[in-house]
């Protein structure tokens, strides 16, 4: 005998509401229709699932066992249906993103511009920050960070390929002070360093040699939390600086900056769009994920 899922839905409504009247109101039917549905279900099963009195409604032992088995399954079906409905919905609302200041490919312009053009109902709010925090607790929909610093319980979608950091300087600086041949020589040079926030020590510059990783404390003479201050100062001949190759690439191609010590600068995992593991993603976030995947697969 085929199972009438409408009867199952009525049974769950009665079990949750513990009342035929409240179940009828929730389902938008009459109390009599609810009572008849429960009676048909009990006739099909050959066992009572609801115990009725003049004052209350409760489940029998068989009803409790049935509810325990079918309620989660029905909830799964409802979630799947809602997910399918949302997938076809037009993305709308504010999409809050916390993005690393060095995620050049994500924040340089084209990716976000094309996304907003394709999704006019979405307002994108980007906070450029290098602080590490719980994006869920802070009310963000997603974040963009290097893969190595993303929590293990997050879902991560690649935004870029492998990355590396380079040491660069203006030709004028190298002509005056020479080119270092090994990272250990960097403390002898004028270096422009980066720190994520006030009262935080400047980042140590990281390298590798013969498969062994090491870092150098360069004791920068100029320190900033703004990469563009770093870049402009380096282009002006103010010293050597260290950062993402993608950030420096336009200046290198124009000859304003020259990479040095490249043999000591290994590649590592790049940037990822990350977000909590949710069964049903909101359409606005799903649209961004699809957009990032499309660009990563076919466009730079």
């Amino acid at each position: 005998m085929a199972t009438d899922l409408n009867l199952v839905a009525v049974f769950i409504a009665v079990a949750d509401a513990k009342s035929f009247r409240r179940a009828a109101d929730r389902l938008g039917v009459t109390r009599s229709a609810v009572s008849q549905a429960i009676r048909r279900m009990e006739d099909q099963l050959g066992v009572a699932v609801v115990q009725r009195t003049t004052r209350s409604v409760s489940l029998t032992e068989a009803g409790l066992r049935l509810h325990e088995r079918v309620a989660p399954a029905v909830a799964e079906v409802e979630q799947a249906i809602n997910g399918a409905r949302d997938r076809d919905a037009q993305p709308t609302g504010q999409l809050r993103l916390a993005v690393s200041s060095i995620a050049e490919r994500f924040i340089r312009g084209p990716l976000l511009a094309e996304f907003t053009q394709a999704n006019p109902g979405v307002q994108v709010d980007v906070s450029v920050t290098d602080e590490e925090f719980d994006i869920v607790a802070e009310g963000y929909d997603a974040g963009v960070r290097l893969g190595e610093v993303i929590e293990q319980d997050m879902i991560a979608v690649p935004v870029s390929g492998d990355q590396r950091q380079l040491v660069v300087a203006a030709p004028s600086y190298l002509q005056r002070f020479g080119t270092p041949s090994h990272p250990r020589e960097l403390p002898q040079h004028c270096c422009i360093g980066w720190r994520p926030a006030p009262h935080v020590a400047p980042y140590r510059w990281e390298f590798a040699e013969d498969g062994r990783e090491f870092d150098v404390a360069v004791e920068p003479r100029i320190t900033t939390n703004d990469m563009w201050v770093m870049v402009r100062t380096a282009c002006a001949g103010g010293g050597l600086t260290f950062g993402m190759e993608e950030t420096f690439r336009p200046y290198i191609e124009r000859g304003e900056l020259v990479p040095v010590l490249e043999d000591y600068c290994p590649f590592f995992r790049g940037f990822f769009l990350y977000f909590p593991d949710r069964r049903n993603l909101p359409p606005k976030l799903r649209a961004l994920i699809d957009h990032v995947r499309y660009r990563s697969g076919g466009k730079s």
Side-chain angles (χ1 to χ4, degrees):
M1 179 186 300
T3 301
D4 188 338
L5 295 180
N6 289 323
L7 299 183
V8 175
V10 173
F11 166 70
I12 291 174
V14 170
D16 292 344
K18 296 181 173 60
S19 164
F20 280 20
R21 179 181 57 79
R22 288 195 295 271
D25 291 342
R26 182 181 301 177
L27 296 170
V29 298
T30 66
R31 184 185 183 283
S32 175
V34 170
S35 180
Q36 292 174 18
I38 294 297
R39 188 176 298 114
R40 287 201 304 274
M41 185 175 193
E42 291 177 329
D43 289 344
Q44 289 180 9
L45 294 174
V47 63
V49 294
V50 174
Q51 185 171 319
R52 314 161 185 80
T53 69
T54 56
R55 293 173 178 260
S56 66
V57 172
S58 60
L59 299 184
T60 65
E61 183 178 353
L64 287 170
R65 290 199 303 269
L66 178 63
H67 183 266
E68 184 180 314
R69 296 289 300 274
V70 301
V74 171
E76 285 280 337
V77 171
E78 290 177 347
Q79 288 180 343
I81 291 172
N82 290 335
R85 184 184 298 118
D86 287 345
R87 184 170 295 276
D88 294 331
Q90 185 69 22
T92 59
Q94 186 182 68
L95 186 65
R96 297 190 67 215
L97 307 173
V99 183
S100 170
S101 67
I102 56 175
E104 176 67 19
R105 185 171 300 188
F106 189 87
I107 62 176
R108 69 184 175 191
L111 186 148
L112 289 174
E114 292 178 7
F115 174 74
T116 54
Q117 289 166 11
N119 299 275
V122 179
Q123 300 84 47
V124 182
D125 185 312
V126 179
S127 293
V128 178
T129 174
D130 294 293
E131 297 183 29
E132 294 185 17
F133 54 81
D134 184 342
I135 59 170
V136 176
E138 296 298 324
Y140 289 94
D141 295 288
V144 178
R145 290 283 184 273
L146 287 172
E148 61 190 25
V149 298
I150 295 175
E151 296 87 346
Q152 294 298 315
D153 60 347
M154 292 287 173
I155 304 298
V157 176
V159 174
S160 73
D162 289 348
Q163 301 283 305
R164 68 171 174 169
Q165 298 189 92
L166 291 179
V167 180
V168 297
S172 60
Y173 176 87
L174 299 176
Q175 289 170 4
R176 282 186 297 156
F177 299 103
T179 301
S181 59
H182 193 279
R184 299 295 184 197
E185 299 174 14
L186 290 171
Q188 304 166 22
H189 284 263
C190 180
C191 292
I192 305 163
W194 185 84
R195 55 175 169 73
H199 312 300
V200 176
Y203 272 14
R204 296 169 71 92
W205 296 12
E206 300 175 340
F207 302 96
E209 183 177 19
D210 298 327
R212 181 180 59 86
E213 297 180 353
F214 65 98
D215 56 50
V216 177
V218 298
E219 299 182 2
R221 297 184 199 175
I222 301 171
T223 305
T224 179
N225 67 339
D226 187 329
M227 73 168 65
W228 303 117
V229 172
M230 264 182 12
V231 170
R232 287 192 291 264
T233 304
C235 287
L240 295 153
T241 195
F242 184 71
M244 303 302 296
E245 181 176 11
E246 281 194 346
T247 300
F248 298 141
R249 181 53 53 192
Y251 303 90
I252 293 172
E253 291 174 352
R254 293 195 297 266
E256 297 176 64
L257 293 174
V258 176
V260 300
L261 303 174
E262 289 189 80
D263 290 343
Y264 302 94
C265 299
F267 284 89
F268 50 83
R269 292 178 68 204
F271 292 95
F272 290 77
L273 173 72
Y274 69 99
F275 47 91
D277 184 4
R278 297 172 180 160
R279 189 177 300 276
N280 292 310
L281 293 173
K284 60 184 179 181
L285 179 54
R286 186 182 299 111
L288 178 63
I289 295 166
D290 291 342
H291 182 68
V292 165
R293 282 175 170 155
Y294 164 71
R295 286 189 60 91
S296 297
K299 302 176 70 175
S300 62

